């Protein structure tokens, strides 16, 4: 035992084995041999040896506790808990058994019971630093980050060299958006434990959030140098490289993460989405895509929307993602006031209150809200911006709150303090989204609108704004939220959006002076082989025609050229447009003849822009929300004849318009005439309709009925 306590395990083991030759039932030796096996990571031998000791002497609490530890490492969690319970029965003040029992319960995701077990350990041994640390970890799982930090602080006060507590404290502080404090906590963990790879990895994510991308990359590289099989560091490194526009290096980093951890579903989904951005279709595997986030661990749902059109699987992915990250117990319910407020307080929440597509859609509605009936708040949780759209939104709303430095829980608490009646999430699961705000309940009524084309799969989101084209009755089962049906289109538009007046010509845009111009200004990740095949066949059939796309990245440009050549088309017939200010972008649509939409994820703001600029659009009606938006817009402008029901119909329709200039000219004239009168660009009418939607949703809550599907009538009266 002296050798054992001195860390001379091999020598101690030799003596224990000698004793057992003379006394095979020496239970202390069996137990201590089991402890050595545990210490040397031979957990199965540890469980077996200690089990033999228990058979001989079944009344030693330590035996059960230590076998529980081995079973915990073997992931035999229920058996481990049974052993801890037996240890506690034999020794009711066994703080260590309560602590370790909490760890097993935590792995079973029985977080409330685990927390109670840690609390009991602390009650028995208030100076038990590890129990305070573990208490912090379960609070972190419960997303109670302030309380988690307090537990880590207590553990550190008891054990100032507790590197793991500093490391996890940094993670909790990062979730609270206290990024400087988080980095300082990671730095302290590393100073205490210089080979702490996980702390370097987590430090990298905090530095990335602070937009210190080179420093973040260096931190991930250090983590990898210390722990070469740390798949998470490679995945995070890929995220930073993507943000640094080093897309090929990012793919390589994701590949390394997957090779180290083949079931790393999130890394695989990120890689596939990045390859879609690069128009690299070399690894498309429909079976793998179908499984991601459905029969695997959760993945970021947005990454999958453009990879397949399957609303049932989109819902399953959202539910898994929300269940893993955002299902909270939530604050206490809202007290229902006796009387309906004279003016409803509406809160819009976004990281994109600047020159962003969603704000371009929404801005006019913010300006048009009836201030006699509504008070409008904006909660901006993105980095501060200084552009014309930011200034416009600050003027448009009654109260603008910059909350980018607050945690999701604190933003929700601020909205509750502001007495917001209806909260509108403009982001869903898109980049920089903060769903946790709504998980903490910012308002009694919470609505998803514009930013995310699908269900959030979470009980905290009450409503999704749509229309009958987007979500017909037969597809409603794919959405967790109750549906608010607007009478025309779900999409807000700005009927004051300026189109540049200065003349532009094809030569300036790199287009041929003559010849038919097909165009698609959708993001590159929306382009798949299915529509590209059609586009190349159209170029082959329509002599002198070209395809005009947005210049996304050099890899997409190169890969699309390669794919065109494979299909017998000269890559020079694909022309790429640089990004320009919105008014100029709208004006250049006049140089194109026909907009060709993508399939799985149709044009949303890009479709609305094309129609506003007077450019006809051909789309195909899909199954999911993302695959039906352009059809909704065409219906709302009275051009449903441009909605194809199949790929073959889409190709036939596009070819017919390209080969029939009179029909196309008539169609453009019709579009131009309807542009200012059809519901799609009736911003004033849309404002009244969405206000009625907010009113009805609030009245359902106020009347105690809970969320209900809502149909907003076209001709409702205030």
């Amino acid at each position: 035992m002296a050798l054992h306590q001195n860390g001379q395990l091999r020598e101690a083991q030799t003596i224990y084995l000698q004793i057992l030759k003379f006394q095979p039932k020496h239970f202390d030796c069996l137990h201590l041999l089991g402890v050595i096996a545990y210490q040397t990571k031979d957990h199965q031998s540890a469980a077996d040896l200690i089990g033999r000791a228990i058979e001989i002497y079944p009344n030693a609490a330590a035996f059960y506790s230590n076998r529980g530890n081995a079973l915990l490492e073997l992931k035999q969690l229920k058996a481990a808990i049974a052993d801890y319970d037996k240890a506690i029965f034999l020794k009711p003040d066994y703080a260590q058994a309560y602590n370790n029992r909490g760890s097993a319960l935590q792995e079973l995701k029985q977080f409330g019971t685990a927390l109670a077990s840690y609390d009991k350990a602390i009650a028995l041994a208030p100076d038990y630093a590890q129990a305070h640390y573990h208490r912090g970890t379960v609070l972190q799982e419960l997303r109670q980050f302030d309380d988690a930090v307090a537990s880590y602080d207590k553990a550190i006060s008891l054990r100032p060299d507790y590197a793991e507590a500093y490391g996890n404290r940094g993670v909790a502080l990062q979730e609270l958006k206290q990024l400087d404090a988080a980095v300082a906590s990671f730095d302290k963990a590393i100073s205490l434990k210089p080979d702490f790879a996980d702390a370097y990895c987590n430090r990298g994510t905090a530095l990335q959030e602070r937009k210190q991308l080179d420093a973040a990359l260096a931190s991930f590289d250090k983590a990898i140098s210390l722990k070469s099989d740390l798949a998470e560091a490679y995945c995070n490194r890929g995220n930073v490289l993507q943000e640094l526009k080093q897309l090929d290096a990012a793919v390589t980093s994701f590949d390394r993460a997957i090779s180290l951890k083949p079931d790393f579903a999130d890394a695989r989904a990120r890689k596939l989405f990045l390859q879609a951005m690069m128009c690299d279709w070399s690894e498309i595997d429909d079976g793998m895509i179908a499984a991601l986030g459905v029969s695997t661990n959760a993945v970021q749902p947005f990454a999958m929307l453009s990879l397949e059109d399957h609303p049932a699987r989109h819902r399953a992915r959202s539910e898994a993602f929300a269940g893993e990250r955002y299902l909270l117990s939530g604050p206490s319910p809202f007290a229902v006031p006796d009387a309906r407020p004279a003016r409803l307080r509406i809160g819009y929440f976004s990281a994109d209150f600047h020159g962003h597509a969603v704000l371009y859609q929404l801005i006019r509605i913010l300006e048009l809200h009836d201030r006699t009936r509504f008070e409008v708040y904006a909660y901006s949780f993105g980095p501060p911006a200084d552009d014309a759209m930011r200034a416009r939104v600050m003027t448009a709303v009654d109260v603008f709150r910059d909350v980018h430095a607050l945690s999701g829980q604190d933003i929700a608490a601020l909205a509750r303090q502001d007495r917001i009646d209806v909260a509108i999430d403009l982001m869903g699961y898109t980049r920089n989204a903060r769903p946790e705000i709504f998980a903490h309940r910012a308002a009694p009524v919470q609505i998803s609108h514009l930013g995310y084309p699908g269900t959030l799969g979470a009980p905290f989101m009450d409503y999704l704004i749509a229309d009958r084209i987007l979500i017909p009755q037969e597809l409603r089962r794919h959405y967790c939220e109750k549906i608010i049906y607007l009478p025309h289109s779900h999409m807000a538009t700005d009927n004051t959006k300026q189109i540049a007046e200065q003349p532009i010509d094809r030569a300036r845009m790199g287009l041929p002076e003559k010849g038919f111009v097909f165009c698609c200004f959708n993001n590159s990740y929306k382009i798949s082989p299915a529509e590209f095949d059609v586009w190349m066949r159209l170029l082959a059939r329509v002599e002198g025609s070209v395809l005009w796309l947005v210049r996304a990245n050099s890899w997409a440009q190169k890969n699309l050229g390669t794919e065109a050549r494979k299909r017998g088309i000269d890559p020079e017939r694909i022309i790429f447009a640089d990004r320009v200010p919105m008014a100029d972008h709208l004006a250049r649509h006049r140089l194109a003849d026909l907009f060709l939409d993508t399939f799985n994820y149709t044009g949303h703001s890009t479709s609305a822009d094309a129609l506003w600029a007077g450019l006809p659009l051909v789309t195909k009606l899909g199954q999911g929300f993302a695959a039906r938006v352009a059809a909704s817009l065409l219906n709302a402008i009275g051009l449903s004849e441009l909605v194809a029901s199949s790929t073959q119909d889409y190709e036939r329709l596009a070819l017919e318009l390209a080969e029939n200039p009179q029909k196309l000219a008539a169609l453009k004239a019709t579009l131009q005439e309807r542009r200012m009168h059809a519901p799609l660009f009736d911003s004033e009418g849309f404002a009244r309709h969405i206000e009625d939607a907010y009113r009805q949703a609030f009245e359902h809550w106020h009347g105690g009925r809970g969320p209900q599907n809502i149909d907003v009538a076209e001709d409702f009266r205030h």
Side-chain angles (χ1 to χ4, degrees):
M1 288 180 68
L3 289 165
H4 192 164
Q5 290 166 355
N6 198 40
Q8 296 172 263
L9 302 185
R10 189 183 299 274
E11 293 85 348
Q13 184 181 48
T14 299
I15 295 174
Y16 292 147
L17 289 169
Q18 287 175 336
I19 292 169
L20 286 173
K21 286 180 182 178
F22 297 104
Q23 295 188 29
K25 294 189 176 182
H26 197 301
F27 50 80
D28 277 330
C29 281
L30 287 166
H31 172 236
L32 292 168
L33 276 171
V35 171
I36 288 176
Y38 178 85
Q39 290 173 301
T40 56
K41 310 295 185 185
D42 185 358
H43 300 120
Q44 187 60 61
S45 294
D48 293 342
L49 286 162
I50 299 172
R52 286 170 57 192
I54 288 171
E55 288 174 5
I56 299 164
Y57 186 72
N59 295 316
F63 292 6
Y64 289 99
S65 182
N66 286 335
R67 186 172 70 171
N69 295 343
L71 293 169
L72 177 59
E73 293 292 341
L74 292 167
K75 304 301 179 187
Q76 298 177 30
L77 302 176
K78 292 182 179 178
I81 291 166
D83 269 1
Y84 294 134
D85 286 342
K86 182 66 173 178
I88 290 164
F89 173 77
L90 292 168
K91 185 181 177 184
D93 63 347
Y94 204 161
Q96 189 177 21
Y98 273 110
N99 175 65
N100 295 342
R101 178 177 177 269
S103 296
L105 289 163
Q106 189 170 345
E107 287 216 35
L108 285 169
K109 299 194 180 302
Q110 298 178 24
F111 299 128
T113 316
L115 186 61
S117 205
Y118 295 138
D119 284 341
K120 182 65 175 177
I122 290 166
L124 291 166
D127 293 343
Y128 191 178
Q130 190 182 58
H132 286 285
Y133 166 76
H134 281 148
R135 184 176 187 274
T137 65
V138 79
L139 288 166
Q140 201 159 315
E141 295 262 22
L142 290 166
R143 306 190 74 79
Q144 298 176 25
F145 298 113
D146 284 309
D147 293 336
V149 170
S151 277
Y152 295 136
D153 284 343
K154 181 63 177 177
I156 290 164
S157 72
L158 294 166
R159 188 175 136 192
D161 63 346
Y162 207 154
E164 290 77 10
Y166 275 108
N168 270 19
R169 179 176 178 271
V171 174
L173 288 166
Q174 185 177 348
E175 290 283 355
L176 291 168
K177 301 303 171 187
Q178 298 177 33
L179 299 180
D180 292 345
V183 172
S185 201
F186 293 133
D187 286 343
K188 181 65 175 177
I190 291 163
S191 72
L192 292 167
K193 187 179 177 182
D195 62 349
F196 198 168
D198 287 337
Y200 275 108
C201 184
N202 292 328
R203 178 177 177 270
T205 64
L207 290 167
Q208 182 181 2
E209 199 167 343
R210 286 204 308 194
K211 300 303 177 186
Q212 295 173 255
L213 301 181
D214 290 329
L217 190 62
S219 204
F220 294 133
D221 286 341
K222 181 65 176 178
I224 290 164
S225 72
L226 292 166
K227 190 175 180 183
S228 60
D229 62 347
L230 188 55
E232 288 74 11
Y234 279 103
C235 183
N236 292 339
R237 183 175 181 274
N239 294 334
V240 170
L241 287 165
Q242 182 174 341
E243 204 165 342
L244 287 167
K245 310 298 184 190
Q246 299 176 35
L247 305 191
D248 51 350
V251 169
T252 300
S253 207
F254 289 133
D255 270 335
R256 181 61 178 152
I258 295 162
S259 69
L260 290 166
K261 189 176 175 181
D263 63 348
F264 199 164
D266 187 56
R268 198 175 292 278
R270 289 176 184 275
K271 177 195 167 189
L272 284 172
F273 182 68
L274 178 55
Q275 287 178 307
M277 290 175 64
M278 299 163 73
C279 297
D280 175 0
W281 306 324
S282 60
E283 296 185 42
I284 290 178
D285 179 333
D286 291 341
M288 179 177 64
I289 289 170
L292 278 173
V294 178
S295 57
T296 69
N297 292 334
V299 301
Q300 223 292 342
F302 180 79
M304 305 303 295
L305 292 178
S306 62
L307 298 177
E308 67 167 357
D309 176 21
H310 198 291
R313 289 199 283 266
H314 291 323
R315 173 173 177 164
R317 291 182 183 108
S318 288
E319 288 177 330
F321 188 74
E324 184 177 286
R325 300 195 183 195
Y326 301 116
L327 295 190
L328 311 176
S329 56
S332 56
F334 290 82
V336 180
D338 293 333
R340 180 179 176 277
R343 290 201 302 165
L344 283 183
R345 290 192 176 188
I346 309 300
Y348 289 94
F349 294 75
S350 179
D352 295 325
F353 286 128
H354 55 85
H356 184 276
V358 171
L359 186 58
Y360 279 117
Q361 295 168 38
L362 183 69
I363 185 65
R364 186 65 183 142
I365 309 307
L366 297 180
E367 294 169 340
L368 288 169
H369 272 311
D370 182 351
R371 292 314 200 273
T372 66
R373 300 167 58 236
F374 297 91
E375 189 174 357
V376 182
Y377 286 64
Y379 296 84
S380 175
F381 49 82
D386 182 18
D387 65 11
M389 290 300 288
R390 176 78 152 210
R392 189 173 167 189
V393 73
M394 292 177 76
T395 303
V397 300
D398 297 292
V399 178
F400 184 92
R401 298 207 182 282
D402 183 345
V403 294
H404 77 279
L406 299 183
S407 69
Q409 184 171 0
D410 287 342
I411 295 170
L414 178 60
R416 291 167 77 98
Q417 182 180 316
D418 287 338
R419 302 194 310 281
I420 296 299
D421 298 305
V422 179
I424 298 95
D425 176 21
L426 297 171
M427 300 201 72
Y429 293 138
T430 55
R431 186 180 180 190
N432 298 321
R434 302 279 293 277
E436 67 271 20
I437 296 168
F438 307 95
H440 285 290
R441 272 281 162 192
V445 176
Q446 300 191 145
I447 299 174
S448 177
H449 185 40
L450 285 181
Y452 188 77
T455 182
L456 297 194
F460 54 74
M461 194 55 65
D462 304 312
Y463 292 99
L464 172 62
I465 290 179
D467 56 62
R468 291 288 176 184
I469 302 295
L470 282 177
I471 307 178
Q473 177 66 36
E474 65 270 19
L475 295 176
R476 193 184 285 176
R477 67 187 183 279
H478 301 308
Y479 302 86
C480 296
E481 302 85 352
K482 296 299 182 183
I483 308 302
I484 293 175
Y485 286 105
L486 297 185
H488 302 294
S489 171
H490 82 298
M491 187 176 286
T493 56
D494 177 5
N495 59 9
T496 67
K497 190 183 282 189
Q498 296 297 304
I499 302 176
E501 293 296 332
Q502 66 267 31
I504 53 172
D505 56 47
R506 285 187 168 193
R508 255 181 65 198
M509 295 292 116
L511 297 168
E513 289 296 335
K514 295 183 179 180
F516 196 91
V517 176
F518 295 104
C519 91
C520 179
F521 290 148
N522 293 352
N523 278 311
S524 59
Y525 63 80
K526 297 182 180 182
I527 303 172
S528 78
E531 57 266 38
F532 195 75
D533 285 343
V534 175
W535 297 351
M536 294 302 98
R537 287 197 295 269
L538 289 170
L539 291 186
R541 293 284 298 274
V542 181
E543 187 177 354
S545 62
V546 296
L547 176 63
W548 197 16
L549 305 175
V550 169
R551 193 187 309 279
N553 56 74
S554 60
W555 294 272
Q557 190 168 335
K558 179 182 176 183
N559 287 330
L560 289 173
T562 300
E563 295 292 338
R565 192 176 289 108
K566 285 180 187 176
R567 292 160 176 81
I569 298 297
D570 184 350
E572 295 297 317
R573 293 177 68 186
I574 303 178
I575 295 160
F576 293 91
D578 293 317
R579 298 190 182 276
V580 295
M582 177 57 72
D584 296 329
H585 173 61
L586 291 170
R588 69 183 173 184
H589 282 76
R590 297 167 177 159
L591 302 176
D593 295 297
L594 185 65
F595 192 111
L596 298 175
D597 201 12
T598 45
F599 291 169
N600 292 338
Y601 197 137
T602 67
H604 294 189
S605 59
T606 48
S607 295
D609 287 345
L611 295 171
W612 179 243
L615 179 63
L617 162 82
V618 174
T619 192
K620 178 172 80 76
L621 183 66
Q623 290 295 302
F625 193 123
R628 299 173 72 92
V629 170
S632 164
L633 303 185
L634 285 166
N635 185 71
I637 205 167
L639 291 173
S640 56
E641 66 267 28
L642 295 179
V643 180
S645 59
S646 67
T647 302
Q648 294 75 17
D649 189 32
Y650 170 96
E651 184 172 351
R652 178 198 57 75
L653 181 55
L655 183 61
E656 181 184 344
L657 291 171
E659 292 182 335
N660 191 332
Q662 293 79 16
K663 184 169 184 177
L664 183 59
L667 186 61
K668 286 187 174 183
T670 300
L671 174 57
Q672 194 61 35
E673 187 275 327
R674 290 181 183 171
R675 194 171 69 99
M676 298 306 295
H677 306 291
L680 179 59
F681 296 114
D682 178 8
S683 302
E684 291 77 8
F686 186 96
R688 302 293 81 79
H689 288 138
I690 205 164
E691 287 172 350
D692 188 53
Y694 297 160
R695 178 191 60 78
Q696 289 194 53
F698 181 81
E699 287 180 354
H700 282 304
W701 172 79
H702 189 260
R705 295 183 293 277
Q708 310 284 320
N709 290 317
I710 293 171
D711 271 292
V712 175
E714 182 174 1
D715 59 349
F716 78 94
R717 297 291 178 265
H718 292 177

